[in-house]
Amino acid sequence: MSDICRFVGESTSRFASLEYRRIHKDKAEDNTLGISIQKETSYSPFMDMEDDSPGGRLRAARTAKQMYLIDLAAATGLCTRTIGLAEANKLKVSPPSLRRLSKVLGVSVAFLGGFEKLPESTFGERIVKARLFHGYTKREFAKLLGVHERTLFDWEHNRKIPPAAPLNDLSRYLDILMKE
């Protein structure tokens, strides 16, 4: 009994995932009737998404890749609890984590975050939307533009207007909004 507990305690999440697959594969191969079931994936899984929230989009992208939570966690370095809470819309995923998830799942950061729904009626809202579309935090985006974080905060809240030099750099990131 203690050997089993020790073995379970030593297993990693990747090993557990492989073990889970092995067990289910063996069950599928133990088909005495010779019936084979094949999944049809000719249509896009995102076409008939029930939940258009960021969590629903994350779940749809993960299931489209036929990944378990544990597989996605291993591939991204995030924990399964974090991904599960994000899929349940009980946790807002940070931009760096969204970048990792989008890379593994093969979808855009904008899709996973649902950022196309963000307003862009003011210049500040357009800056926020462009920053999130690219998956940057305020700190990362300010560093890319060569400005202080507080300056970016003021721009995003329409307290100040960017001068000409940073505005040219900013326009590269705002161009993505024109392509929608």
Side-chain angles (χ1 to χ4, degrees):
M1 180 93 162
S2 63
D3 292 332
I4 292 172
C5 293
R6 194 172 334 126
F7 173 74
V8 171
E10 293 172 358
S11 69
T12 62
S13 62
R14 184 172 284 278
F15 176 76
S17 174
L18 293 173
E19 184 65 18
Y20 179 82
R21 285 185 183 166
R22 186 191 63 77
I23 291 168
H24 287 293
K25 182 180 175 194
D26 291 345
K27 286 182 180 178
E29 290 175 352
D30 189 28
N31 188 350
T32 55
L33 298 175
I35 300 171
S36 68
I37 300 172
Q38 212 166 355
K39 272 188 174 177
E40 287 292 326
T41 56
S42 60
Y43 69 97
S44 171
F46 308 120
M47 298 279 283
D48 56 352
M49 251 189 326
E50 293 177 17
D51 185 6
D52 194 34
S53 66
R57 289 174 177 216
L58 176 58
R59 177 169 290 151
R62 178 180 58 81
T63 55
K65 285 279 194 176
Q66 299 179 351
M67 295 178 83
Y68 295 109
L69 275 175
I70 201 161
D71 297 329
L72 185 56
T76 59
L78 301 171
C79 71
T80 54
R81 180 166 171 74
T82 300
I83 297 170
L85 288 172
E87 285 185 355
N89 290 311
K90 294 184 179 183
L91 176 76
K92 187 176 177 182
V93 181
S94 68
S97 296
L98 276 177
R99 285 195 310 256
R100 286 192 272 171
L101 288 165
S102 72
K103 185 177 180 181
V104 170
L105 295 172
V107 294
S108 70
V109 172
F111 172 78
L112 285 180
F115 299 135
E116 73 277 355
K117 297 176 184 176
L118 290 176
E120 53 180 290
S121 56
T122 66
F123 190 65
E125 289 174 344
R126 293 188 67 217
I127 294 171
V128 171
K129 188 172 182 176
R131 175 176 60 82
L132 293 174
F133 250 73
H134 289 284
Y136 293 121
T137 63
K138 285 181 187 169
R139 177 173 287 145
E140 293 168 333
F141 202 52
K143 188 175 180 180
L144 278 173
L145 296 173
V147 298
H148 191 271
E149 231 179 298
R150 181 64 192 186
T151 303
L152 179 62
F153 179 87
D154 288 340
W155 293 349
E156 288 184 348
H157 290 86
N158 296 308
R159 294 181 183 158
K160 292 183 182 176
I161 298 172
L167 189 58
N168 290 335
D169 294 336
L170 191 58
S171 67
R172 292 183 307 184
Y173 298 100
L174 292 173
D175 285 344
I176 196 166
L177 302 179
M178 302 299 175
K179 296 176 185 176
E180 284 184 9

